[in-house]
Amino acid sequence: MDYFTNITYLSLEGHVELEKYRYFYFVISLIVYILIICCNSVVISVIYTNKPLHEPMYIFIAALLCNALFGTAAFYPKLLSDFLSETQVISHGACLFQAFCIYTYAASEFTLLSAMAYDRYVSICKPLQYPSLIKMSTVKKLLFFCWFVPSCEIGISIILTYQQLCKFKLNRIYCNNYSIAKLSCGDITTMSTYGLIALSFAVCSPVIFVIYSYVRILDVCLRNSKDFRRKALQTCFPHLIIFTSFSVTACFEVINSRLEGNMPHIFAMIMSAENLVVPPLLNPVIYGLKLQEISNRIKRLLWKRKTHVFAD
């Protein structure tokens, strides 16, 4: 539908009982978004300002948290605006841009988690070769790859999706690439085929690599002492929890958008947004509490602030 100009607008109709609960939704979402910004920023700043934490494992953690801030910035401001608006509309171009950002965030999350798995694999399985295999130059190359390749893959998908539209209603609360494509007038076979191929590279390859890494790590742990196993699992367990959670919900979102399962709408909407709520909140908490180096420095930071407050 067009409003006064040639700009095409889409209606986001995935909200559940918005008129009744709009202010409740707004307050809860605002609190979640503020917590996401604060929690991620604290851990990132602790890693950035402490030179002893300028090691590959912590740099990858900071990159993962920066990626969460990028993905949520594409989701929450528009969502909060929709809760307070009479009409939930978005221009076609802005919708494609939001889909690009959210999909790039998701694809980059998988590549970053696989890079972290590689770091843990080399650290535990090849400790003597770690300094030569995981150099700072290698870390920089891996981080470039983790963001550049997914953005290119998703960018091509968005270009293929950009077609004339015949329908203008999205049964979503945010823009989904495949859902936008289904509104177009033309054939979407090329876009759909490319999407499946890109999906196999963006999701399946990292998943297979992470599983392989952890099989090797488990094998090494079983052949070593209890103390070695405890230390290895202490650094790997947070990563494994985050990776498993993200993979399950990402697979649900892909299957649900492609097959349009007959599940309750509210459940489908909650699950589709889960990766923009739980991982960005959970990641800094898990890494901030489970990894002793980060946890100790956060405690020192808080203790210093309390001391300054009482001194004043």
Side-chain angles (χ1 to χ4, degrees), residues 209-242:
F209 178 77
V210 172
I211 292 171
Y212 168 78
S213 299
Y214 274 100
V215 168
R216 294 293 303 274
I217 288 170
L218 183 63
D219 180 55
V220 170
C221 287
L222 291 174
R223 289 190 279 109
N224 279 274
S225 64
K226 287 184 178 180
D227 187 54
F228 180 91
R229 286 199 294 271
R230 182 183 61 79
K231 290 179 179 178
L233 292 175
Q234 188 177 17
T235 59
C236 292
F237 195 58
H239 176 267
L240 195 57
I241 291 174
I242 290 164

Side-chain angles (χ1 to χ4, degrees), residues 14-155:
H15 298 280
V16 179
E17 296 190 50
L18 185 57
E19 290 299 325
K20 188 176 180 182
Y21 297 110
R22 70 167 67 243
Y23 296 111
F24 174 75
Y25 291 158
F26 177 83
V27 171
I28 295 299
S29 298
L30 182 61
I31 291 171
V32 169
Y33 190 38
I34 291 172
L35 284 173
I36 287 170
I37 294 172
C38 292
C39 292
N40 285 277
S41 298
V42 166
V43 178
I44 291 168
S45 63
V46 166
I47 293 171
Y48 179 77
T49 56
N50 288 271
K51 286 188 178 180
L53 298 182
H54 293 182
E55 297 177 5
M57 181 175 73
Y58 300 110
I59 292 171
F60 284 128
I61 290 171
L64 191 73
L65 303 186
C66 286
N67 190 55
L69 291 176
F70 167 73
T72 53
F75 174 67
Y76 282 95
K78 172 57 180 168
L79 183 70
L80 291 168
S81 174
D82 284 342
F83 287 150
L84 298 181
S85 302
E86 291 299 320
T87 56
Q88 292 70 49
V89 296
I90 186 171
S91 69
H92 186 203
C95 196
L96 288 170
F97 181 70
Q98 186 187 50
F100 169 78
C101 292
I102 291 175
Y103 273 53
T104 300
Y105 151 74
S108 297
E109 195 86 352
F110 277 109
T111 53
L112 285 167
L113 287 169
S114 60
M116 293 172 73
Y118 174 68
D119 174 68
R120 293 298 83 209
Y121 162 72
V122 176
S123 175
I124 294 169
C125 300
K126 301 180 179 180
L128 297 178
Q129 296 176 277
Y130 186 84
S132 60
L133 290 176
I134 311 292
K135 296 181 289 187
M136 287 309 298
S137 59
T138 306
V139 172
K140 291 175 183 177
K141 289 174 185 176
L142 283 172
L143 290 177
F144 176 77
F145 174 85
C146 287
W147 275 307
F148 180 74
V149 173
S151 64
C152 289
E153 289 176 349
I154 303 303

Side-chain angles (χ1 to χ4, degrees), residues 103 110 172 174 176 199 203 244-275:
Y103 273 53
F110 277 109
R172 314 270 309 179
Y174 66 87
N176 171 293
L199 182 68
V203 178
T244 303
S245 170
F246 196 86
S247 298
V248 170
T249 49
C251 289
F252 170 85
E253 170 64 2
V254 170
I255 293 169
N256 185 53
S257 62
R258 290 267 172 176
L259 302 180
E260 296 184 336
N262 296 321
M263 62 182 64
H265 177 71
I266 186 169
F267 177 75
M269 291 303 99
I270 290 171
M271 290 298 291
S272 69
E274 194 270 349
N275 272 343

